[in-house]
Amino acid sequence: QVPEAEAAYARAKEDRSLEAEADLGLGRLYAAAGRKGDAMAALRAALEREAAWPEVQYELALLLDGNAEARELLDGALRGRPNWAQAA
């Protein structure tokens, strides 16, 4: 299943307007598959494209295990979506 999903996200990234969304999807896919390093790389790529995207900030923070960067990302996610209890 993972190779097919990876291929679909790779195709989506060919459309520059979908790159960040594809990287978020890859990050979630890799995290679910236990590929933490790949997940973090994909999420960091999404964050480079969309620095203030709360969903990306939240997903990456989950992988950072509560360190200072994780707290900063969660703060950013809450600034972007103040009523988002999931990130609180």
Side-chain angles (χ1 to χ4, degrees), residues 3-4 8 16 18 25 31 33 45 47 49 51 56 58 63 65 67 72 80 85:
E4 293 88 4
R16 295 197 51 83
L18 299 175
L47 199 58
R49 291 178 177 89
V56 175
Y58 175 76
L63 296 174
D65 301 322
N67 68 17
E72 184 178 313

Side-chain angles (χ1 to χ4, degrees), residues 29-77:
L29 173 72
Y30 293 147
R35 294 170 53 182
K36 185 175 179 178
D38 290 332
M40 290 177 65
L43 292 168
R44 287 189 187 285
L47 199 58
E48 285 179 23
R49 291 178 177 89
E50 295 287 340
W53 192 1
E55 285 79 3
V56 175
Q57 293 168 323
Y58 175 76
E59 295 289 342
L60 183 55
L62 291 179
L63 296 174
L64 292 171
D65 301 322
N67 68 17
E69 183 184 3
R71 289 189 298 277
E72 184 178 313
L73 287 165
L74 288 175
D75 287 345

